[in-house]
Amino acid sequence: MSQLIEIKSVPIEIEMKMSHARLEYTRASADLEISRDKGGLSIKSRPIRLNVDTFEMRNSILPTPVRSIEQAAQKGKQAAYEATATYAQQGELLLKAKIGEDVMAQYEARALSPHMDSQPGLTFIPTTGPEIDWDPGELNIRFEMDKLNFDWRLNQTQLEFIPGDIEITVKQQPDVIIKYIGGPLYVPPSSDPNYEPVDVQA
């Protein structure tokens, strides 16, 4: 008797994908900013300054009202001193007079002697020259070089850890295939064209 049924088992098919853990490193970048400060050359010059004061010179030619009053007061004071001295000399002469002397002749001679000896004076104006003063000159030279400013900007280094991964894919489910491989079955069996009776011996 031949085999009528064929049984076939299909195993499960699994696909596994695995990725390893890794550490990713991001390199830091740097930005450089350069700025320039310009220098330069500066020169400051101050020439000689001449100071001329002609106040006293002008006062010796044409005094101001205040100066005129001061000069008149000084002259009056000087004249009073001279008059006092003259009167003192005359009184002294009178006190030293002796009997029989011609006191009046001596008095007149002494009184007239200053005026007779005086000479007309010449005065040159201005009597005082100007006051001259000067400030020295000054020269300042300043040179400043250009300046370069460097500004570094560093980005932070980044480290990223990526864990491992396991991916399981079922590509084929398990299965059992049952297949009938025999011929057709006839009911009753005698209807089979190829039927052969079975001999039964008693």
Side-chain angles (χ1 to χ4, degrees):
M1 185 174 180
S2 63
Q3 184 177 356
L4 300 178
I5 298 174
E6 181 182 14
I7 300 174
K8 184 177 181 181
S9 177
V10 179
I12 187 172
E13 183 179 354
I14 298 175
E15 182 180 4
M16 181 180 295
K17 293 182 181 179
M18 180 182 297
S19 59
H20 298 283
R22 64 185 184 274
L23 181 65
E24 292 186 354
Y25 166 76
T26 304
R27 181 176 298 178
S29 61
D31 298 331
L32 174 61
E33 182 178 352
I34 301 176
S35 60
R36 178 180 180 182
D37 297 336
K38 292 185 178 180
L41 176 65
S42 61
I43 300 176
K44 294 182 180 179
S45 175
R46 187 182 69 183
I48 296 175
R49 182 177 180 180
L50 182 63
N51 303 317
V52 180
D53 187 3
T54 60
F55 180 77
E56 295 295 336
M57 184 184 71
R58 288 185 284 105
N59 276 331
S60 64
I61 299 174
L62 182 62
T64 61
V66 177
R67 185 59 63 89
S68 298
I69 294 173
E70 290 179 356
Q71 292 177 356
Q74 186 67 28
K75 289 180 181 180
K77 189 176 181 181
Q78 186 67 28
Y81 288 155
E82 292 177 358
T84 302
T86 302
Y87 289 136
Q89 291 176 0
Q90 291 176 1
E92 183 183 2
L93 181 60
L94 293 175
L95 289 174
K96 291 181 179 180
K98 295 180 181 180
I99 299 174
E101 290 182 347
D102 190 0
V103 178
M104 295 304 293
Q106 294 180 4
Y107 178 77
E108 292 176 356
R110 182 168 294 185
L112 295 175
S113 61
H115 300 287
M116 294 177 63
D117 295 338
S118 63
Q119 298 291 333
L122 298 177
T123 303
F124 296 94
I125 57 175
T127 58
T128 304
E131 294 183 4
I132 300 176
D133 189 14
W134 61 281
D135 298 330
E138 185 178 355
L139 179 63
N140 294 326
I141 300 176
R142 181 180 178 184
F143 174 73
E144 187 175 355
M145 298 180 63
D146 294 349
K147 295 180 181 179
L148 291 178
N149 301 320
F150 297 91
D151 187 10
W152 289 94
R153 297 178 182 177
L154 297 177
N155 296 326
Q156 188 177 2
T157 303
Q158 296 181 355
L159 297 175
E160 183 180 1
F161 174 75
I162 299 177
D165 186 21
I166 298 176
E167 181 180 353
I168 299 176
T169 304
V170 178
K171 300 184 69 176
Q172 176 65 48
Q173 295 289 339
D175 195 7
V176 176
I177 301 174
I178 300 174
K179 185 178 181 182
Y180 177 75
I181 58 174
L185 296 177
Y186 294 93
V187 177
S190 60
S191 61
D192 184 2
N194 298 323
Y195 177 74
E196 293 180 0
V198 177
D199 291 336
V200 179
Q201 293 178 4

